[in-house]
Amino acid sequence: MAKETLSAHELNKYTYCPYQWYYEKIYGRAELRRMRKEYLEELGLEDSTTANFIRGEAFHRKLYRQYRLRRLLGKIALLALLVLILIFWVMQYVHV
């Protein structure tokens, strides 16, 4: 028979992450650990700490590439604007 009441610990888990609470209720903690281990093995990772580190490193590498690209595009746009201003400035004095 299923338990009809929730403990304070379960309520705390639910408020932290309803999905985690739900899946733990459906599958059980041991099955979730087994599924997580299987998932990490498919990715070629040994433990969750390593997995989190590798994902975080990839995230920051991508973010830094985007940052550098935006800076480069900003510099190119500024240079193009300066060239256009110079061209218009020169054209004013050439036609006079």
Side-chain angles (χ1 to χ4, degrees), residues 1-15:
M1 181 173 155
K3 193 167 84 168
E4 294 183 20
T5 59
L6 296 174
S7 67
H9 178 70
E10 286 181 295
L11 287 174
N12 188 32
K13 277 186 146 188
Y14 180 81
T15 57

Side-chain angles (χ1 to χ4, degrees), residues 69-87:
L69 180 62
R70 280 193 303 251
R71 274 187 55 182
L72 178 63
L73 291 176
K75 288 178 181 179
I76 291 171
L78 181 62
L79 183 62
L81 181 64
L82 290 174
V83 168
L84 285 174
I85 290 171
L86 181 64
I87 289 172

